[in-house]
């Protein structure tokens, strides 16, 4: 009696979901089911949901019932990797130990693939399998339910169930079809399995109000192993952008039904489709003879088809699933971009609302998130073993390490690690470097990174000597010219509501001008990271420079900025011949001129000599955030100049290996403090702490930067000293 009562309770909770309100309230629903212990999201999925990264749900009956071991495990792992390589986060769904798991660990995948008594779990089976602690492979229907509860909108599978042959008499109709009619999830598949009655399946989907579209050039609905059936699809979708737009519109209309996107199996994998079809007919006849009924029919037929074809059907099955994963990930990436531009608006049925907000602060229309506009760059660090570099074509012994970077990306990365939720606007190419960069950014919000077809991802090669200093840098950032005002204008509303906007010097001058104009119109503070001496002057070549609030140059970049403002060529100076006192005296003059032209704050990096903080206000005055008053003549002169040492007496573990990411992490740490409302001294010291983490790693933004180590108390303990007041 107890087990029946528990099943009933779970069933009531599962069936009580108000799917009509899910567009606005899925976060609340998801939290409810997590709190009741029914839904278990992996950490990777939780991060992706937090940052709005593209997510792709994956079913698990293909693992438990669709393929033999070890093909099932290898395929599942390959499909997850395809999703990651495409810039998405895989979320395989299964039932374990009384919970619906969304996102599986390696051990859980292995357990699922080797389980001999896993249940084939559809909607009707969820309550039973969860309440009894069973292992269950989720069907299309059950996976749609779990994905929807978790807030995942794109789901990839092999093929859907449908109306079985003779179903008009037996009423053997898959619950996949009814689920598509009541759960707003986009299902990417290779059509219906050809063992089904495809004509009646399409008729039933029409009755359920499901949008059905074939993906690509064909107008015919695919038949799983065959790229086309005799039946026309109601709609045709040419590419991932169109597919994402269709589903987003389906959501906007609150139709509360799914969208079925049927992707034909690639022609190269369909060459044996005639042989497979003959095998299907033979297997169907056997199934009828053996009186196979219900949910056992499909697994039996697929197993026999594979046996009859000598494994060719399995090869085709694996190929089409992988292809679906590639297409589904592309759709999820495009859908995330649409959500990033439109889903910040509040409001849903019933008066409830959810939004991505920065630390709970909400505007009446748009979630207030800091915005970073800049480069995403694939890095190659070449480090010599000695401090003296040998020139003249001689090979220097050393090491080579690949990584990800770009000033804008580094800042967005570091802010994300410090529990600030930035919107990052950038571009990458559709190449291996771009895929690698996206796959290493799952902890960030990558929904506004545009993948440009036919373009090369920006790349940078840094030559580092044994001390970690850069002696040569070679960059190919031509793709950054595609970060145009037109591209950025798609995020104008979010920019106009941001508490802070950061731009780097890699983006074009007209884009810098556009962002500065938008921020000026709405009094949004702007942080400019110069990137290098040649790009430092970009804002000052137009009137954008007078709208900047913060800049974070090194001494060479500061000299370039000063020369641009004063209208003359920068003088050649040998810094090694200057004392720190002479350098500070020069910086005092240069910064005074720049602040007189409208800058509020200059954070000047001096390498091992620390940083100078030059402001138009007193040192204890809070840094401008969310709103900045411009053109105040009384605040256009330098009022304070502080010198901070580079390191604390409290040393972090590890030696200095690279300084290439120190400036970006410094800026990020200061920004995070500003956005969190900390006092200026804590903001600066937090930036220095982040920079000290960076110089001890070849990764520009190391994993050691964690928000829990950047509390006010932690920063005070690391840097208990008071900076030197120069002015």
């Amino acid at each position: 009696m107890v087990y029946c009562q528990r099943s009933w309770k779970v069933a009531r909770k599962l069936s009580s979901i108000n799917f009509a309100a899910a567009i606005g309230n899925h976060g609340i629903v998801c939290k409810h089911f997590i709190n009741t212990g029914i839904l278990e999201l992996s950490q990777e999925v939780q991060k992706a949901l937090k940052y709005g990264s593209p997510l792709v749900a994956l079913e698990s009956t293909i693992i438990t019932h669709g393929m033999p071991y070890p093909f099932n495990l290898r395929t599942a792992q390959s499909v997850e990797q395809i999703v990651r390589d495409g810039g998405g986060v895989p979320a395989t769904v299964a039932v374990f130990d009384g919970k619906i798991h969304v996102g599986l660990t390696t051990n859980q995948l292995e357990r699922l693939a080797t389980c001999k008594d896993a249940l084939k779990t559809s909607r009707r089976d969820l309550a039973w399998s969860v309440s009894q602690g069973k292992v269950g492979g989720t069907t299309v229907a059950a996976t749609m339910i779990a994905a929807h509860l978790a807030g995942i909108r794109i789901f990839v599978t092999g093929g859907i169930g449908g109306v079985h042959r003779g179903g008009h008499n037996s009423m053997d109709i898959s619950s996949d079809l009814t689920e598509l009619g009541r759960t707003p999830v986009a299902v990417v598949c290779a059509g219906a399995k050809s063992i089904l009655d495809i004509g009646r399946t399409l008729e039933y989907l029409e009755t359920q109000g499901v949008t059905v579209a074939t993906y690509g050039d064909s107008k015919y609905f695919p038949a799983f192993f065959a790229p086309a059936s005799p039946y026309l699809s109601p709609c045709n979708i040419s590419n991932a952008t169109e597919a994402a737009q269709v589903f987003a519109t389906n959501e906007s209309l609150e139709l509360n039904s799914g969208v079925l996107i049927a992707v034909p199996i690639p022609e190269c994998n369909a060459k044996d489709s005639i042989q497979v079809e003959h095998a299907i007919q033979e297997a169907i006849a056997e199934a009828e003879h053996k009186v196979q009924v219900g949910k056992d029919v499909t697994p039996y037929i697929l197993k026999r088809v594979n046996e009859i074809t000598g494994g060719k059907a399995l090869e085709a099955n694996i190929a089409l699933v992988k292809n679906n994963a590639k297409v589904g990930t592309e759709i999820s990436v495009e859908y995330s971009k649409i959500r990033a531009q439109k889903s910040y608006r509040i409001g849903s049925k019933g008066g409830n609302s959810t939004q991505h907000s920065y630390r709970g602060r909400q505007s009446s229309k748009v979630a207030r998130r800091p915005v970073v506009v800049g480069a995403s760059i694939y890095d190659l660090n070449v480090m010599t073993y000695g401090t003296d570099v040998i020139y003249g074509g001689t090979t220097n012994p050393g090491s080579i390490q690949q990584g990800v970077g770009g000033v804008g990306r580094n800042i967005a990365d570091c802010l994300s690690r410090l529990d600030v939720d930035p919107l990052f606007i950038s571009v990458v190419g559709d190449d291996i470097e771009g895929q690698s960069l996206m796959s290493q950014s799952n902890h960030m919000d990558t929904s506004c990174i545009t993948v440009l077809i036919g373009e090369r991802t920006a790349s940078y090669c840094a030559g580092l000597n044994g001390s970690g200093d850069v002696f040569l840098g070679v960059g190919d950032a031509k793709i950054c010219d595609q970060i145009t005002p037109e591209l950025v204008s798609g995020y104008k509303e979010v920019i106009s509501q941001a508490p802070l906007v950061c731009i780097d010097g890699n983006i074009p001058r007209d884009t810098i001008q556009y962002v500065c104009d938008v921020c000026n119109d709405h009094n949004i503070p702007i942080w400019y990271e110069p990137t290098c001496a040649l790009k430092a002057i970009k804002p000052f070549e137009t009137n954008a420079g007078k709208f900047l609030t913060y800049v974070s140059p090194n001494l060479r970049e500061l000299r370039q900025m000063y020369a641009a403002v004063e209208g003359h060529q920068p003088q050649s100076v040998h810094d090694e011949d200057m004392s720190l006192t002479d350098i500070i005296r020069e910086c005092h003059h240069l910064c005074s001129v720049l602040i007189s032209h409208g800058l509020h704050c200059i954070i000047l990096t001096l390498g091992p000599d620390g940083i100078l903080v030059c402001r138009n206000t007193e040192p204890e005055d809070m840094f401008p955030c969310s709103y900045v008053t411009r053109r105040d003549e009384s605040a256009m002169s330098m009022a304070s100049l502080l010198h901070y040492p580079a390191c604390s007496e409290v040393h972090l573990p590890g030696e200095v290996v690279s300084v290439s990411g120190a400036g970006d992490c410094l800026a990020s740490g200061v920004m995070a403090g500003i956005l969190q409302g900390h006092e200026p001294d804590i903001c600066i010291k937090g930036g220095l702490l982040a920079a000290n983490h960076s110089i001890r790693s070849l990764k520009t933004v190391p994993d050691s930067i964690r928000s829990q180590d950047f509390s006010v108390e932690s920063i005070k303990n690391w840097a208990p000293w008071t900076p030197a007041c120069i002015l």
Side-chain angles (χ1 to χ4, degrees), residues 337 372-377 405 408-409 423-428 437 446-452 479-480 482-483 487-488 491 504 507:
K337 294 175 186 175
V372 180
V373 187
S376 296
I377 296 179
R409 189 208 167 276
L423 183 73
F424 178 42
I425 303 171
S426 189
V427 295
V428 297
L437 195 149
T446 59
S447 61
C448 297
I449 299 179
T450 301
V451 180
L452 300 179
I479 192 175
C480 292
Q482 302 299 320
I483 307 176
L487 185 148
V488 177
Y491 310 97
D504 77 21
I507 65 177

mmCIF file of all heavy atoms in Angstrom, residues 337 372-377 405 408-409 423-428 437 446-452 479-480 482-483 487-488 491 504 507:
data_model
loop_
_atom_site.group_PDB
_atom_site.id
_atom_site.type_symbol
_atom_site.label_atom_id
_atom_site.label_comp_id
_atom_site.label_asym_id
_atom_site.label_seq_id
_atom_site.Cartn_x
_atom_site.Cartn_y
_atom_site.Cartn_z
ATOM 1 N N LYS A 337 20.858 32.974 -28.737
ATOM 2 C CA LYS A 337 21.057 34.368 -29.145
ATOM 3 C C LYS A 337 19.732 35.124 -29.128
ATOM 4 O O LYS A 337 19.663 36.287 -28.697
ATOM 5 C CB LYS A 337 21.674 34.420 -30.543
ATOM 6 C CG LYS A 337 23.081 33.858 -30.625
ATOM 7 C CD LYS A 337 23.572 33.841 -32.063
ATOM 8 C CE LYS A 337 24.912 33.144 -32.187
ATOM 9 N NZ LYS A 337 25.348 33.025 -33.600
ATOM 10 N N VAL A 372 30.034 43.213 -21.766
ATOM 11 C CA VAL A 372 31.403 43.260 -22.281
ATOM 12 C C VAL A 372 31.337 43.078 -23.787
ATOM 13 O O VAL A 372 30.712 42.128 -24.274
ATOM 14 C CB VAL A 372 32.290 42.161 -21.648
ATOM 15 C CG1 VAL A 372 33.710 42.245 -22.201
ATOM 16 C CG2 VAL A 372 32.307 42.282 -20.131
ATOM 17 N N VAL A 373 31.962 43.982 -24.527
ATOM 18 C CA VAL A 373 32.019 43.886 -25.987
ATOM 19 C C VAL A 373 33.494 43.810 -26.376
ATOM 20 O O VAL A 373 34.261 44.743 -26.094
ATOM 21 C CB VAL A 373 31.365 45.099 -26.674
ATOM 22 C CG1 VAL A 373 31.301 44.874 -28.188
ATOM 23 C CG2 VAL A 373 29.981 45.365 -26.115
ATOM 24 N N GLY A 374 33.898 42.710 -26.996
ATOM 25 C CA GLY A 374 35.309 42.588 -27.337
ATOM 26 C C GLY A 374 35.659 41.296 -28.028
ATOM 27 O O GLY A 374 34.788 40.558 -28.502
ATOM 28 N N ALA A 375 36.946 41.009 -28.052
ATOM 29 C CA ALA A 375 37.471 39.907 -28.852
ATOM 30 C C ALA A 375 37.450 38.579 -28.106
ATOM 31 O O ALA A 375 37.626 38.524 -26.892
ATOM 32 C CB ALA A 375 38.902 40.217 -29.283
ATOM 33 N N SER A 376 37.215 37.517 -28.880
ATOM 34 C CA SER A 376 37.437 36.135 -28.435
ATOM 35 C C SER A 376 38.587 35.597 -29.270
ATOM 36 O O SER A 376 38.492 35.550 -30.503
ATOM 37 C CB SER A 376 36.183 35.287 -28.653
ATOM 38 O OG SER A 376 35.115 35.746 -27.872
ATOM 39 N N ILE A 377 39.664 35.208 -28.623
ATOM 40 C CA ILE A 377 40.889 34.883 -29.351
ATOM 41 C C ILE A 377 41.431 33.530 -28.904
ATOM 42 O O ILE A 377 41.452 33.217 -27.707
ATOM 43 C CB ILE A 377 41.961 35.976 -29.138
ATOM 44 C CG1 ILE A 377 41.469 37.306 -29.738
ATOM 45 C CG2 ILE A 377 43.292 35.581 -29.759
ATOM 46 C CD1 ILE A 377 42.428 38.462 -29.558
ATOM 47 N N GLY A 405 41.626 33.175 -25.099
ATOM 48 C CA GLY A 405 41.844 34.512 -24.575
ATOM 49 C C GLY A 405 41.095 35.554 -25.362
ATOM 50 O O GLY A 405 39.991 35.326 -25.857
ATOM 51 N N GLY A 408 38.429 41.033 -24.241
ATOM 52 C CA GLY A 408 37.017 41.021 -23.878
ATOM 53 C C GLY A 408 36.606 39.698 -23.268
ATOM 54 O O GLY A 408 35.921 39.657 -22.240
ATOM 55 N N ARG A 409 37.047 38.591 -23.892
ATOM 56 C CA ARG A 409 36.682 37.279 -23.360
ATOM 57 C C ARG A 409 37.307 37.046 -21.991
ATOM 58 O O ARG A 409 36.683 36.487 -21.097
ATOM 59 C CB ARG A 409 37.121 36.172 -24.318
ATOM 60 C CG ARG A 409 36.569 34.818 -23.911
ATOM 61 C CD ARG A 409 37.423 33.654 -24.340
ATOM 62 N NE ARG A 409 36.970 32.455 -23.630
ATOM 63 C CZ ARG A 409 37.365 32.142 -22.395
ATOM 64 N NH1 ARG A 409 38.216 32.914 -21.741
ATOM 65 N NH2 ARG A 409 36.898 31.050 -21.809
ATOM 66 N N LEU A 423 26.999 39.917 -19.847
ATOM 67 C CA LEU A 423 26.589 39.569 -21.208
ATOM 68 C C LEU A 423 27.776 39.871 -22.106
ATOM 69 O O LEU A 423 28.245 41.009 -22.148
ATOM 70 C CB LEU A 423 25.373 40.402 -21.610
ATOM 71 C CG LEU A 423 24.777 40.105 -22.984
ATOM 72 C CD1 LEU A 423 24.048 38.769 -22.953
ATOM 73 C CD2 LEU A 423 23.828 41.209 -23.404
ATOM 74 N N PHE A 424 28.293 38.866 -22.802
ATOM 75 C CA PHE A 424 29.503 39.018 -23.599
ATOM 76 C C PHE A 424 29.155 38.979 -25.082
ATOM 77 O O PHE A 424 28.669 37.970 -25.593
ATOM 78 C CB PHE A 424 30.501 37.913 -23.252
ATOM 79 C CG PHE A 424 31.781 37.958 -24.052
ATOM 80 C CD1 PHE A 424 32.416 39.161 -24.315
ATOM 81 C CD2 PHE A 424 32.351 36.791 -24.540
ATOM 82 C CE1 PHE A 424 33.597 39.213 -25.046
ATOM 83 C CE2 PHE A 424 33.526 36.821 -25.265
ATOM 84 C CZ PHE A 424 34.146 38.033 -25.521
ATOM 85 N N ILE A 425 29.429 40.071 -25.781
ATOM 86 C CA ILE A 425 29.140 40.189 -27.214
ATOM 87 C C ILE A 425 30.449 40.057 -27.975
ATOM 88 O O ILE A 425 31.374 40.857 -27.786
ATOM 89 C CB ILE A 425 28.470 41.547 -27.518
ATOM 90 C CG1 ILE A 425 27.184 41.706 -26.693
ATOM 91 C CG2 ILE A 425 28.167 41.682 -29.008
ATOM 92 C CD1 ILE A 425 26.584 43.100 -26.761
ATOM 93 N N SER A 426 30.536 39.042 -28.840
ATOM 94 C CA SER A 426 31.774 38.782 -29.562
ATOM 95 C C SER A 426 31.484 37.934 -30.791
ATOM 96 O O SER A 426 30.315 37.608 -31.078
ATOM 97 C CB SER A 426 32.775 38.072 -28.640
ATOM 98 O OG SER A 426 34.049 37.976 -29.238
ATOM 99 N N VAL A 427 32.538 37.559 -31.528
ATOM 100 C CA VAL A 427 32.406 36.695 -32.705
ATOM 101 C C VAL A 427 33.537 35.679 -32.725
ATOM 102 O O VAL A 427 34.634 35.935 -32.228
ATOM 103 C CB VAL A 427 32.437 37.503 -34.028
ATOM 104 C CG1 VAL A 427 31.237 38.428 -34.136
ATOM 105 C CG2 VAL A 427 33.737 38.301 -34.154
ATOM 106 N N VAL A 428 33.259 34.498 -33.309
ATOM 107 C CA VAL A 428 34.279 33.493 -33.601
ATOM 108 C C VAL A 428 33.985 32.920 -34.981
ATOM 109 O O VAL A 428 32.887 33.103 -35.523
ATOM 110 C CB VAL A 428 34.302 32.351 -32.552
ATOM 111 C CG1 VAL A 428 34.676 32.879 -31.178
ATOM 112 C CG2 VAL A 428 32.965 31.621 -32.498
ATOM 113 N N LEU A 437 37.309 27.179 -28.489
ATOM 114 C CA LEU A 437 37.062 28.339 -27.637
ATOM 115 C C LEU A 437 35.687 28.255 -26.982
ATOM 116 O O LEU A 437 35.540 28.507 -25.780
ATOM 117 C CB LEU A 437 37.191 29.612 -28.471
ATOM 118 C CG LEU A 437 37.319 30.935 -27.730
ATOM 119 C CD1 LEU A 437 38.168 31.907 -28.540
ATOM 120 C CD2 LEU A 437 35.954 31.552 -27.482
ATOM 121 N N THR A 446 27.687 32.370 -23.198
ATOM 122 C CA THR A 446 28.211 32.482 -24.564
ATOM 123 C C THR A 446 27.100 32.713 -25.583
ATOM 124 O O THR A 446 27.328 32.614 -26.787
ATOM 125 C CB THR A 446 28.991 31.214 -24.951
ATOM 126 O OG1 THR A 446 28.110 30.079 -24.856
ATOM 127 C CG2 THR A 446 30.175 30.998 -24.020
ATOM 128 N N SER A 447 25.904 33.016 -25.109
ATOM 129 C CA SER A 447 24.757 33.095 -26.016
ATOM 130 C C SER A 447 24.861 34.240 -27.006
ATOM 131 O O SER A 447 24.177 34.238 -28.029
ATOM 132 C CB SER A 447 23.461 33.233 -25.206
ATOM 133 O OG SER A 447 23.478 34.418 -24.426
ATOM 134 N N CYS A 448 25.692 35.241 -26.731
ATOM 135 C CA CYS A 448 25.810 36.389 -27.632
ATOM 136 C C CYS A 448 27.122 36.373 -28.400
ATOM 137 O O CYS A 448 27.534 37.400 -28.936
ATOM 138 C CB CYS A 448 25.658 37.687 -26.843
ATOM 139 S SG CYS A 448 24.047 37.853 -26.088
ATOM 140 N N ILE A 449 27.794 35.220 -28.434
ATOM 141 C CA ILE A 449 28.957 35.057 -29.302
ATOM 142 C C ILE A 449 28.448 34.545 -30.648
ATOM 143 O O ILE A 449 27.879 33.459 -30.734
ATOM 144 C CB ILE A 449 29.978 34.078 -28.704
ATOM 145 C CG1 ILE A 449 30.504 34.595 -27.366
ATOM 146 C CG2 ILE A 449 31.141 33.871 -29.672
ATOM 147 C CD1 ILE A 449 31.495 33.665 -26.702
ATOM 148 N N THR A 450 28.638 35.313 -31.679
ATOM 149 C CA THR A 450 28.152 34.955 -33.009
ATOM 150 C C THR A 450 29.198 34.119 -33.741
ATOM 151 O O THR A 450 30.370 34.490 -33.797
ATOM 152 C CB THR A 450 27.849 36.221 -33.830
ATOM 153 O OG1 THR A 450 26.870 37.006 -33.146
ATOM 154 C CG2 THR A 450 27.328 35.859 -35.218
ATOM 155 N N VAL A 451 28.780 32.973 -34.276
ATOM 156 C CA VAL A 451 29.662 32.124 -35.080
ATOM 157 C C VAL A 451 29.503 32.524 -36.543
ATOM 158 O O VAL A 451 28.411 32.428 -37.107
ATOM 159 C CB VAL A 451 29.327 30.633 -34.884
ATOM 160 C CG1 VAL A 451 30.257 29.770 -35.735
ATOM 161 C CG2 VAL A 451 29.437 30.241 -33.413
ATOM 162 N N LEU A 452 30.594 32.990 -37.156
ATOM 163 C CA LEU A 452 30.562 33.487 -38.531
ATOM 164 C C LEU A 452 31.056 32.399 -39.490
ATOM 165 O O LEU A 452 32.187 31.924 -39.372
ATOM 166 C CB LEU A 452 31.427 34.744 -38.670
ATOM 167 C CG LEU A 452 31.018 35.925 -37.783
ATOM 168 C CD1 LEU A 452 31.975 37.095 -37.993
ATOM 169 C CD2 LEU A 452 29.588 36.361 -38.093
ATOM 170 N N ILE A 479 38.788 39.077 -37.877
ATOM 171 C CA ILE A 479 37.378 38.771 -37.677
ATOM 172 C C ILE A 479 36.712 39.774 -36.737
ATOM 173 O O ILE A 479 35.492 39.968 -36.781
ATOM 174 C CB ILE A 479 37.213 37.329 -37.131
ATOM 175 C CG1 ILE A 479 35.750 36.884 -37.192
ATOM 176 C CG2 ILE A 479 37.738 37.225 -35.712
ATOM 177 C CD1 ILE A 479 35.537 35.445 -36.788
ATOM 178 N N CYS A 480 37.511 40.433 -35.895
ATOM 179 C CA CYS A 480 36.940 41.408 -34.953
ATOM 180 C C CYS A 480 36.308 42.592 -35.674
ATOM 181 O O CYS A 480 35.481 43.313 -35.086
ATOM 182 C CB CYS A 480 38.007 41.888 -33.977
ATOM 183 S SG CYS A 480 38.573 40.610 -32.833
ATOM 184 N N GLN A 482 34.175 42.292 -37.719
ATOM 185 C CA GLN A 482 32.767 41.912 -37.888
ATOM 186 C C GLN A 482 31.924 42.220 -36.647
ATOM 187 O O GLN A 482 30.707 42.012 -36.659
ATOM 188 C CB GLN A 482 32.676 40.414 -38.204
ATOM 189 C CG GLN A 482 33.447 39.981 -39.443
ATOM 190 C CD GLN A 482 32.954 40.667 -40.700
ATOM 191 O OE1 GLN A 482 31.760 40.838 -40.885
ATOM 192 N NE2 GLN A 482 33.890 41.081 -41.540
ATOM 193 N N ILE A 483 32.570 42.717 -35.592
ATOM 194 C CA ILE A 483 31.801 43.182 -34.424
ATOM 195 C C ILE A 483 31.352 44.600 -34.750
ATOM 196 O O ILE A 483 31.880 45.595 -34.261
ATOM 197 C CB ILE A 483 32.639 43.128 -33.130
ATOM 198 C CG1 ILE A 483 33.241 41.740 -32.936
ATOM 199 C CG2 ILE A 483 31.782 43.489 -31.912
ATOM 200 C CD1 ILE A 483 34.162 41.620 -31.728
ATOM 201 N N LEU A 487 25.734 44.589 -35.606
ATOM 202 C CA LEU A 487 25.669 43.407 -34.746
ATOM 203 C C LEU A 487 25.373 43.804 -33.307
ATOM 204 O O LEU A 487 24.498 43.230 -32.657
ATOM 205 C CB LEU A 487 26.988 42.636 -34.837
ATOM 206 C CG LEU A 487 27.063 41.296 -34.078
ATOM 207 C CD1 LEU A 487 27.973 40.322 -34.824
ATOM 208 C CD2 LEU A 487 27.585 41.471 -32.656
ATOM 209 N N VAL A 488 26.075 44.804 -32.809
ATOM 210 C CA VAL A 488 25.922 45.206 -31.407
ATOM 211 C C VAL A 488 24.564 45.854 -31.165
ATOM 212 O O VAL A 488 24.007 45.762 -30.070
ATOM 213 C CB VAL A 488 27.072 46.156 -30.997
ATOM 214 C CG1 VAL A 488 26.897 46.650 -29.568
ATOM 215 C CG2 VAL A 488 28.421 45.446 -31.139
ATOM 216 N N TYR A 491 21.664 44.324 -29.288
ATOM 217 C CA TYR A 491 21.675 44.266 -27.818
ATOM 218 C C TYR A 491 21.557 45.661 -27.206
ATOM 219 O O TYR A 491 21.904 45.867 -26.043
ATOM 220 C CB TYR A 491 22.956 43.579 -27.338
ATOM 221 C CG TYR A 491 23.215 42.264 -28.021
ATOM 222 C CD1 TYR A 491 24.075 42.173 -29.108
ATOM 223 C CD2 TYR A 491 22.559 41.114 -27.604
ATOM 224 C CE1 TYR A 491 24.293 40.969 -29.759
ATOM 225 C CE2 TYR A 491 22.766 39.904 -28.248
ATOM 226 C CZ TYR A 491 23.631 39.837 -29.318
ATOM 227 O OH TYR A 491 23.841 38.640 -29.967
ATOM 228 N N ASP A 504 36.752 46.574 -25.424
ATOM 229 C CA ASP A 504 38.200 46.470 -25.602
ATOM 230 C C ASP A 504 38.613 47.067 -26.940
ATOM 231 O O ASP A 504 37.786 47.334 -27.816
ATOM 232 C CB ASP A 504 38.698 45.032 -25.418
ATOM 233 C CG ASP A 504 38.442 44.110 -26.606
ATOM 234 O OD1 ASP A 504 38.242 44.594 -27.734
ATOM 235 O OD2 ASP A 504 38.459 42.873 -26.410
ATOM 236 N N ILE A 507 37.813 45.991 -31.090
ATOM 237 C CA ILE A 507 36.626 46.208 -31.914
ATOM 238 C C ILE A 507 36.804 47.472 -32.753
ATOM 239 O O ILE A 507 37.596 48.355 -32.409
ATOM 240 C CB ILE A 507 35.355 46.275 -31.046
ATOM 241 C CG1 ILE A 507 35.375 47.484 -30.115
ATOM 242 C CG2 ILE A 507 35.194 44.994 -30.247
ATOM 243 C CD1 ILE A 507 34.110 47.631 -29.279
#
